Amino acid sequence: YEEDIWTEISKYLGGRCIVNLGLVNRWFHQSVLQQQTVWKYACLRDLQMPQPLHHVPFKWSQLYASTFDGSHSYEFRQQEKHIDWMRIGAFFFHSSLALLTDKLKLPVEIPKGETVEKMLETTGSCLLNNVKRGIWIADLQLVRCPVCNLDTCEGTMQTLDTRHLELFLNQGFKDGSWEYQEIGTHEIMKHSDGATGGIFDIKHLNDPGSKEMLNLKSWASKPCDWQPKALIDRHAVAVSTNLQQNDGKYLLYIILRLV
């Protein structure tokens, strides 16, 4: 067999098909199933993942298996509160400074405050520093309240959940042994037509993709379309959902960090 030809063919296959092809015989097992360039291509393609600029300290086959085995963060914590989810894709942090905001509009308002809690409370946005650089994977989770610890809420909540890709390979993340803490919330006590949220690498706010996300009118769902919509680019991710008539809504940021 011509190894280069089968490597190219494998790049068009899904993960299950790559495994099946690798089980044909020893040659395919070595040249396809154990070939990390094949799994790297599959990860970049299926996660809409940006090309990493440096060597990664893991095997691409392990990452693919971990991210496409049907597991997600709520499988390891609060399983009883989880309803449904969808994988949005992956984006990249070049810098260590992130903007989290529920305001998707131009021009961007950079929040100010002494603490993250204060920024969230007053503006609904915050800046986080010491963000781990690299590739982050974004999911949209549908969970039962009161995940937010509000006893008055009996409905459901959508959560934009992002994790550094190395967490998918970490046993402490998978077995739920890592401890986290909530560091801020933001409440809106009035009618709102929709709920939005975004995470941006602040050094790339002027990139075309980030500007498109911040221009919500250009990609948001039409009125009466209750299906959530997500948008992802190389350095940012955002979600938007239309809301039915309401007397008031709570926007909750559950910002989790390792203690």
Side-chain angles (χ1 to χ4, degrees):
Y1 304 107
E2 291 290 340
E3 183 173 348
D4 291 343
I5 292 177
W6 279 104
T7 298
E8 286 301 310
I9 291 174
S10 301
K11 289 182 178 180
Y12 293 92
L13 302 179
R16 187 181 298 274
C17 292
I18 293 175
V19 172
N20 289 336
L21 182 60
L23 296 176
V24 169
N25 56 34
R26 291 183 180 179
W27 189 90
F28 278 108
H29 186 273
Q30 181 65 34
S31 301
V32 176
L33 190 60
Q34 298 297 320
Q35 181 59 261
Q36 293 303 305
T37 57
V38 172
W39 290 108
K40 177 182 178 180
Y41 187 91
C43 284
L44 297 178
R45 177 196 64 207
D46 294 349
L47 287 173
Q48 303 178 52
M49 185 183 293
Q51 178 76 27
L53 301 179
H54 306 288
H55 173 74
V56 294
F58 55 81
K59 288 186 177 181
W60 289 98
S61 56
Q62 293 176 344
L63 177 63
Y64 194 96
S66 180
T67 53
F68 288 98
D69 64 356
S71 63
H72 50 81
S73 59
Y74 279 88
E75 184 174 326
F76 312 125
R77 288 176 178 269
Q78 299 177 317
Q79 297 182 29
E80 71 284 357
K81 297 178 180 178
H82 189 260
I83 300 174
D84 201 1
W85 71 296
M86 72 175 186
R87 178 137 294 157
I88 301 173
F91 65 105
F92 198 89
F93 266 104
H94 271 151
S95 73
S96 60
L97 187 61
L99 170 67
L100 279 66
T101 180
D102 67 349
K103 299 177 178 63
L104 300 180
K105 64 178 182 179
L106 293 170
V108 181
E109 298 178 4
I110 303 299
K112 296 180 181 180
E114 297 180 358
T115 64
V116 171
E117 296 92 327
K118 195 65 176 179
M119 283 187 282
L120 282 173
E121 181 183 342
T122 58
T123 68
S125 303
C126 72
L127 296 177
L128 292 181
N129 55 21
N130 295 324
V131 174
K132 185 175 178 64
R133 294 181 176 90
I135 297 171
W136 287 66
I137 296 175
D139 298 330
L140 184 61
Q141 310 279 358
L142 181 64
V143 294
R144 295 182 179 88
C145 285
V147 173
C148 51
N149 300 319
L150 296 175
D151 295 333
T152 57
C153 180
E154 298 178 353
T156 59
M157 184 176 72
Q158 293 175 8
T159 302
L160 175 56
D161 179 33
T162 61
R163 307 283 171 173
H164 192 279
L165 64 85
E166 291 181 16
L167 281 182
F168 286 86
L169 303 174
N170 189 285
Q171 188 59 36
F173 173 71
K174 291 182 176 181
D175 62 23
S177 62
W178 280 9
E179 293 298 329
Y180 298 85
Q181 71 181 57
E182 179 184 310
I183 62 175
T185 62
H186 176 61
E187 299 179 7
I188 297 179
M189 301 297 294
K190 61 181 181 180
H191 168 76
S192 295
D193 293 326
T196 59
I199 302 174
F200 299 85
D201 184 333
I202 200 165
K203 289 192 175 181
H204 291 272
L205 279 177
N206 291 323
D207 289 3
S210 297
K211 286 185 175 181
E212 180 183 1
M213 290 183 193
L214 290 165
N215 183 16
L216 182 61
K217 293 182 180 179
S218 67
W219 61 275
S221 300
K222 296 180 179 179
C224 298
D225 183 354
W226 314 119
Q227 186 71 21
K229 192 169 183 180
L231 202 61
I232 197 163
D233 193 63
R234 187 173 180 83
H235 300 289
V237 61
V239 294
S240 173
T241 304
N242 290 327
L243 297 177
Q244 299 185 30
Q245 185 65 34
N246 53 85
D247 296 327
K249 77 179 175 74
Y250 295 90
L251 279 184
L252 173 69
Y253 285 98
I254 305 179
I255 305 169
L256 302 175
R257 64 183 180 188
L258 180 62
V259 177

